[in-house]
Amino acid sequence: MTGTSSRSTDAAHGPAARRSDASRSAILAAARERFAADGYERATIRAIARDARIDPSMVMRYFGSKDGLFAAAVALDLRMPDVSQVPHTEVGPALVGHFLDVWEANEELTAVLRVAVTNQAGSERLQGIFREQVVPVARRVCPDPEQVATRAGLCAAQLLGLALTRYVVRLPPVVALAREEILAWLGPTVQRYLTAPSP
């Protein structure tokens, strides 16, 4: 029995497993460069495979689709502001303004949102981004520790809803809003989600 277990362990860490890990790493590295250079829409599986010196079918085998590859390859830092330096009553508008800056400057984030709508891997990637980067901000200002996740989720609903309608669907009335108007409409709503007493 011990011999069988030992052989299984050796197989899991043997040459084939190492080749698989190396292939995945090469694909991810090539994908990051290609997505950064060409953007999500223009980057192709064939080009990424060529950059990684691997057959395109292997890319599909490891990641399933371009959406899945994108979700695995792209790591996004939202560069969340230090809310300890923001007056307690102005955290909501500060977050809305920060997200507007991020969405305007980072096409990858818009691409992640587009992928997340239709792809499980993209959805999980976006969930991770907000869990790791937005929840800690809510934790700093939320009056009830047990409501941190709920309040962060409500903030995400507003911010992602804005991004979806403004940058993906491009709903004309939302696209037409000036920055100051968005801050005036959404800032107090996000502030209420973060700091208002529970209804």
Side-chain angles (χ1 to χ4, degrees):
M1 189 71 175
T2 302
T4 302
S5 176
S6 176
R7 285 195 298 273
S8 298
T9 301
D10 290 344
H13 300 283
R18 286 194 292 274
R19 281 196 301 273
S20 177
D21 289 344
S23 296
R24 287 177 63 91
S25 296
I27 293 167
L28 288 171
R32 290 185 189 104
E33 291 185 10
R34 182 61 63 175
F35 284 129
D38 295 350
Y40 176 79
E41 300 297 341
R42 292 190 302 277
T44 65
I45 291 292
R46 187 172 297 279
I48 291 166
R50 184 175 61 246
D51 294 345
R53 295 185 174 88
I54 199 165
D55 190 272
S57 66
M58 296 299 289
V59 179
M60 301 302 287
R61 174 182 168 188
Y62 288 127
F63 300 101
S65 65
K66 187 169 89 167
D67 288 353
L69 174 60
F70 181 80
V74 175
L76 294 171
D77 182 1
L78 299 179
R79 302 182 307 280
M80 298 299 291
D82 181 1
V83 293
S84 66
Q85 305 300 312
V86 178
H88 195 70
T89 57
E90 297 177 18
V91 173
L95 277 185
V96 175
H98 176 77
F99 270 88
L100 279 173
D101 292 340
V102 170
W103 290 111
E104 296 282 354
N106 193 337
E107 292 182 2
E108 287 183 353
L109 193 55
T110 304
V112 169
L113 179 59
R114 189 180 295 114
V115 169
V117 173
T118 58
N119 178 271
Q120 181 64 29
S123 174
E124 291 173 358
R125 185 75 194 88
L126 195 59
Q127 289 176 32
I129 290 169
F130 274 82
R131 183 172 57 251
E132 295 159 13
Q133 301 182 48
V134 178
V135 169
V137 173
R139 188 173 290 118
R140 294 291 298 267
V141 297
C142 176
D144 184 347
E146 293 185 358
Q147 294 182 334
V148 167
T150 297
R151 289 172 181 259
L154 290 169
C155 291
Q158 289 291 320
L159 296 168
L160 290 176
L162 170 65
L164 184 66
T165 54
R166 186 173 174 87
Y167 303 112
V168 177
V169 178
R170 299 192 62 80
L171 196 65
V174 181
V175 173
L177 286 170
R179 177 188 176 87
E180 294 74 20
E181 293 177 293
I182 294 173
L183 290 173
W185 280 106
L186 265 66
T189 299
V190 172
Q191 180 72 41
R192 181 169 61 84
Y193 288 153
L194 288 170
T195 61
S198 178

